[in-house]
Amino acid sequence: MSPEVEFGLTLKRAQHVLAQRMDEALRPFDLNLGLWVALRELARQPGASASELARITLHTPQTLSGLLQRLQDRGLVERTTGRGSIVDNHVTPAGRRTLAAATPKAEAVIDQALAAFTPARRAKFQELLAEFADSLTGSA
């Protein structure tokens, strides 16, 4: 296998393991990584539409709509018709409480994963990952 393929597969493995650990940490809150990210970003962008949130969270609009529906069913998100036919989404007080309780658990997973890195190596790692992502999207 070429070094390039090895790199890509290693990156995928790291992403997969991180997502699994995040899901495990978020399970007690009846969330998974996708639901938590949607709730987190909606708290940052009150009133955002599903398509706006989809762009931010890197989901398709259809997937994001499903996540929002699940969050609404749990009482964590309120959805109302706003701008024309666009549905505005807002985090409820229960959603804010859930987010406040779940976020430290998610952050702890990432902190644990990065524990072996010095602050300088963390910064360099993040810089390299951003460069890599930019090269894939043509943003570099």
Side-chain angles (χ1 to χ4, degrees), residues 28-91:
F29 305 96
D30 200 23
L31 297 174
N32 61 30
L33 181 55
L35 291 167
W36 175 74
V37 168
L39 190 61
R40 179 179 174 268
E41 291 306 321
L42 184 54
R44 292 176 166 196
Q45 303 284 331
S49 69
S51 62
E52 290 165 339
L53 287 170
R55 282 189 293 280
I56 296 166
T57 62
L58 308 175
H59 288 96
T60 65
Q62 296 82 3
T63 298
L64 205 286
S65 288
L67 293 172
L68 289 171
Q69 185 61 54
R70 289 171 62 192
L71 291 168
Q72 181 182 23
D73 292 347
R74 295 175 188 166
L76 305 178
V77 166
E78 179 179 78
R79 307 182 78 200
T80 57
T81 303
R83 303 159 276 167
S85 62
I86 296 174
V87 175
D88 289 335
N89 299 284
H90 297 275
V91 177

Side-chain angles (χ1 to χ4, degrees), residues 23 76 132:
D23 284 348
L76 305 178
F132 182 71

